[in-house]
Amino acid sequence: MQPKIVVYKALPQDILEDLRRHAQVVVLAPDPGQDREALTEALGDALVDADGAIGASVKIAPATIARATRLKAISTISVGVDNFDLADLTRRGIVLAHTPDVLTESTADTVFALVLSTARRVVELAEWVKAGRWKGSIGPEHYGVDVHGKTLGIVGLGRIGGALARRAALGFDMRVLYTNRHANEPAERAYGARRVELGELLAQSDFVCLQVPLTPQTRHMIGAAQLAAMKRSAILINASRGAIVDEAALIAALADGTIAGAGLDVFEHEPLAPESKLLTMHNVVALPHIGSATHETRYAMARCAARNLLDALAGRLTHNVANPEVLTR
């Protein structure tokens, strides 16, 4: 008998058809305007007799899968796994697969785009031109700051952080500082990256880029004290998870000039509320969580996630597992 798979995010048609060749597939199609709570409830109902699930952008709490006694594997189309309770999944013997490699380069592109666009005020000045306000040569009030030759501080030098360090050091002759649980010796050799404590990184960096996963330990790791430790000319870049930054503290720091600006692809609550003060600030570039959002990368992520799920259900998945300890049970 073929396993039953619940698909809770739209997949490319060819990938969906490939899944259908190997499993009974149920596509959970949200109703227009359906809120997250209703979608989560519908997912819980669909998973009751499912063997596997594939999707993204939905929080799957223990209560969601409480009745899913057949569930063997979930494959998330993302690298981040903060939508899941890993300990609970492991206790239940459920494999959680993710896609950590295929989005590295496109996400690093997005991060560096935020560096450039905040430093050179690209979004702000593009809107200024579109508004018909360009009447002559620009003056110092519209100048940005250089990126080349500056110091880039990377909090979390993993795959994406390493790709960012390569762009910075080799492409823009930047000095790279980083904090990490462990030394990244390849990055130190190839890009001259230097491992320092967070305090030193904040004090010396012209651009501080956050590239850590969201965990209880990293939630609000950047708050008022950390922002105050940065240069007044510094720019904060966050394309990892919004809750790593205390958003209220960031708004205050941007408003009073504690730091010069911020480039943000993620927020504490998404989508960002239209009334957010961040949207009124000229020194903020705000993007709608587009880190990996290219046609090529999103397709590759979906393909990888589908393969992960089929391999997990067949008992042959040995990589891309967020809770590898479940494989040894």
Side-chain angles (χ1 to χ4, degrees):
M1 175 185 264
Q2 286 188 323
K4 177 182 175 181
I5 290 173
V6 174
V7 176
Y8 62 96
K9 188 176 180 66
L11 294 175
Q13 192 61 34
D14 62 323
I15 294 175
L16 191 58
E17 291 304 320
D18 187 44
L19 288 175
R20 284 179 170 144
R21 283 190 285 272
H22 297 89
Q24 175 192 352
V25 175
V26 174
V27 177
L28 187 64
D31 295 327
Q34 187 177 42
D35 61 28
R36 286 176 182 256
E37 185 176 342
L39 177 59
T40 301
E41 184 176 346
L43 178 58
D45 291 339
L47 290 173
V48 168
D49 59 349
D51 300 285
I54 180 171
S57 306
V58 177
K59 190 167 188 64
I60 298 183
T64 309
I65 58 174
R67 296 174 293 149
T69 56
R70 281 174 44 182
L71 194 62
K72 299 180 180 65
I74 301 174
S75 185
T76 179
I77 311 171
S78 66
V79 61
V81 295
D82 46 286
N83 276 329
F84 303 89
D85 184 325
L86 282 179
D88 180 70
L89 291 177
T90 302
R91 181 181 63 79
R92 295 172 187 265
I94 299 170
V95 172
L96 178 62
H98 63 151
T99 61
D101 293 311
V102 294
L103 50 67
T104 296
E105 297 299 333
S106 60
T107 304
D109 282 349
T110 300
V111 177
F112 214 84
L114 284 169
V115 171
L116 289 169
S117 59
T118 51
R120 299 305 302 269
R121 300 170 63 179
V122 171
V123 175
E124 175 194 356
L125 294 179
E127 291 299 323
W128 183 74
V129 172
K130 286 183 178 181
R133 297 172 62 189
W134 186 23
K135 305 298 185 182
S137 298
I138 66 168
E141 69 273 17
H142 296 120
Y143 291 171
V145 296
D146 283 334
V147 172
H148 68 272
K150 294 294 182 66
T151 298
L152 181 75
I154 304 173
V155 181
L157 198 63
R159 295 178 181 89
I160 296 169
L164 180 60
R166 170 163 37 89
R167 285 158 174 75
L170 304 186
F172 287 80
D173 194 28
M174 299 181 82
R175 175 186 179 222
V176 177
L177 303 178
Y178 76 99
T179 63
N180 216 39
R181 286 180 298 175
H182 306 289
N184 188 324
E185 294 178 359
E188 292 178 2
R189 290 192 299 269
Y191 317 129
R194 185 165 70 87
R195 187 182 179 207
V196 297
E197 295 298 323
L198 179 61
E200 183 177 349
L201 182 147
L202 295 173
Q204 294 192 25
S205 298
D206 299 296
F207 303 91
V208 174
C209 296
L210 307 178
Q211 294 302 147
V212 293
L214 179 60
T215 67
Q217 292 72 38
T218 62
R219 182 177 293 274
H220 282 194
M221 73 178 294
I222 302 297
Q226 290 73 32
L227 293 163
M230 293 169 61
K231 297 178 180 180
R232 292 183 70 84
S233 59
I235 292 171
L236 179 72
I237 306 294
N238 188 12
S240 51
R241 286 294 185 267
I244 291 167
V245 178
D246 181 337
E247 207 160 277
L250 175 60
I251 289 170
L254 290 165
D256 65 17
T258 298
I259 62 172
L264 307 171
D265 188 38
V266 291
F267 305 89
E268 284 205 70
H269 302 285
E270 297 179 3
L272 184 64
E275 62 272 17
S276 172
K277 291 182 179 178
L278 290 169
L279 298 180
T280 68
M281 295 179 161
H282 70 86
N283 55 346
V284 172
V285 174
L287 299 178
H289 204 149
I290 65 166
S292 62
T294 67
H295 291 292
E296 300 91 338
T297 296
R298 286 294 173 87
Y299 180 87
M301 290 170 67
R303 171 62 68 189
C304 177
R307 288 173 178 164
N308 286 343
L309 181 57
L310 293 176
D311 284 347
L313 291 176
R316 59 175 179 262
L317 185 67
T318 59
H319 61 290
N320 294 345
V321 180
N323 55 341
E325 58 273 24
V326 80
L327 301 178
T328 61
R329 292 179 51 168

